[in-house]
């Protein structure tokens, strides 16, 4: 169901969201998903559709950096895109009553004790702040801390790593991108590609592991063999960002992320154990799992 609109006067443009939900069922867990740079609520169908088909309500905002909105290069909001992104997710968390009233398909069907966040690339950085990752406010150097106890789990796809390893251009363009993962205590699955060279870091593919390596347990890392930044095609079925199209890789990520969230949100659910065992038993697996 899209677009649904949140009034958001301080943003200058109301917040549009897409809601995907199962046809049947009640007490449904929720995933709030933050898209990558330039994308929109219309992207990431391979994830949103799969999650909804497997019992989750998926809420996808369109952030101000979206190409769909087409803000001018000199728009004064551009240096604050990172802040607006985080406020978008906070508005959804605080506005579930409004969202339910605007979307009859989910009215009375949400389990608000089981909320997760997820995101890809810049969206993973945005989502990670609600799991406990912090970063400096480039305006005054203060620490931005968005951790929210309502968020029980997260899935971070290609999350940017340590700011100390940014290229000169990336450091100028993204002065907020200096994450501290030491307080990211919420359970999370971090998904990376071992061929994701990107253009942000001087360290190469291992940089994308930082959200796992530098955060406390419990965490799980899935390294997709041959995966580049689009991880086989998670941004969309025909997204131009996909340079490593591989349906098998996307399918493995779909299954593993769903199983991870079910096992965290429903303690005792064996879904993740079963999914991990299937990967371990596969003679040609799509990736490798690490846990701590």
């Amino acid at each position: 169901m899209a677009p649904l609109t949140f009034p958001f006067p301080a943003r200058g443009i109301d917040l549009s969201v897409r809601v995907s939900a199962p046809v049947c069922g009640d007490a449904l867990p929720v995933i709030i998903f933050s898209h990558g740079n330039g994308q929109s609520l219309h992207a990431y169908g391979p994830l949103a559709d799969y999650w909804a088909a497997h019992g989750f309500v998926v809420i996808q905002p369109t952030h101000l950096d979206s190409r769909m909105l087409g803000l001018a290069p000199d728009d004064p909001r551009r240096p604050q895109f990172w802040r607006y992104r985080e406020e978008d997710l906070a508005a959804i968390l605080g506005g579930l009553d409004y969202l339910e009233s605007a979307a009859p398909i989910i009215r009375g069907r949400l389990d608000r004790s089981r909320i997760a966040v997820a995101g890809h690339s810049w969206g993973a950085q945005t989502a990670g702040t609600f799991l406990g990752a912090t970063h400096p406010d480039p305006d005054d150097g203060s620490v931005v801390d968005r951790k929210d106890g309502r968020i029980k789990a997260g899935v971070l796809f290609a999350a940017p790593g340590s700011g100390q390893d940014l290229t000169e251009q990336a450091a100028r363009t993204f002065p907020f991108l200096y994450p501290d993962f030491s307080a990211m205590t919420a359970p999370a699955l971090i998904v990376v590609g071992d061929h994701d060279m990107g253009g942000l870091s001087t360290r190469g593919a291992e940089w994308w592991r930082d959200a796992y390596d530098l955060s406390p347990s419990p965490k799980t890392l899935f390294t997709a063999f041959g995966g580049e930044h689009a991880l086989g095609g998670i941004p969309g079925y025909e997204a131009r960002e996909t340079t490593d199209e591989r349906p098998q890789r996307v399918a493995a990520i779909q299954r593993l992320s769903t199983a991870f969230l079910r096992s965290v949100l429903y303690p005792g659910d064996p879904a993740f154990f079963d999914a991990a065992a299937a990967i371990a038993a596969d003679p040609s697996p799509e990736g490798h799992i690490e846990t701590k």
Side-chain angles (χ1 to χ4, degrees), residues 104-215:
I105 189 174
I106 60 169
R107 191 171 300 157
R109 301 177 67 203
L110 303 184
D111 183 347
R112 301 192 190 191
S113 70
R114 293 184 170 95
I115 302 177
V117 290
H120 176 235
S121 194
W122 194 355
Q125 188 271 338
T126 304
T129 63
F130 288 79
L131 297 169
T134 62
H135 66 84
D137 184 331
D139 291 346
D140 59 17
S142 62
V143 174
V144 178
D145 184 352
R146 291 276 191 176
K147 187 173 183 179
D148 195 305
R150 290 171 291 184
I151 303 299
K152 307 304 183 187
V155 183
L156 307 181
F157 302 97
S162 171
Q164 284 68 38
D165 300 302
L166 293 174
T167 63
E168 290 184 11
Q169 180 179 357
R172 289 194 303 269
T173 306
F174 305 110
F176 58 87
L177 200 57
Y178 288 79
D180 181 346
F181 298 110
S182 62
M184 195 173 80
T185 56
L189 169 66
I190 291 92
V191 181
V192 303
D194 65 3
H195 282 51
D196 186 356
M197 303 308 292
L200 297 177
S201 168
T202 60
R203 272 174 51 208
E206 72 169 19
W207 182 67
W208 304 95
R209 290 179 50 110
D210 283 357
Y212 175 79
D213 291 333
L214 303 180
S215 64

Side-chain angles (χ1 to χ4, degrees), residues 35 51 63 81 92 103 127 149 159 224 230 235 248:
H35 64 70
W51 287 335
H63 298 304
F81 275 171
I92 292 170
Q248 301 95 316

Side-chain angles (χ1 to χ4, degrees), residues 5-86:
T5 302
F6 274 85
F8 208 142
R11 194 173 180 263
I13 300 173
D14 288 340
L15 176 61
S16 294
V17 305
R18 179 185 186 90
V19 176
S20 304
V23 174
C24 303
D26 294 311
L28 300 173
V30 177
I31 303 171
I32 302 173
F33 185 89
S34 180
H35 64 70
N37 186 26
Q39 283 288 1
S40 75
L41 58 79
H42 297 293
Y44 298 94
L47 295 175
D49 294 347
Y50 189 91
W51 287 335
H54 288 78
F56 292 86
V57 171
V58 185
I59 303 172
Q60 298 173 262
T62 292
H63 298 304
L64 286 179
D65 56 90
S66 173
R67 292 187 294 270
M68 191 174 72
L69 299 181
L71 269 61
D74 61 351
D75 190 291
R77 288 168 290 186
R78 283 189 171 273
Q80 300 294 321
F81 275 171
W82 66 268
R83 192 186 309 274
Y84 286 112
R85 279 176 152 268
E86 293 171 12

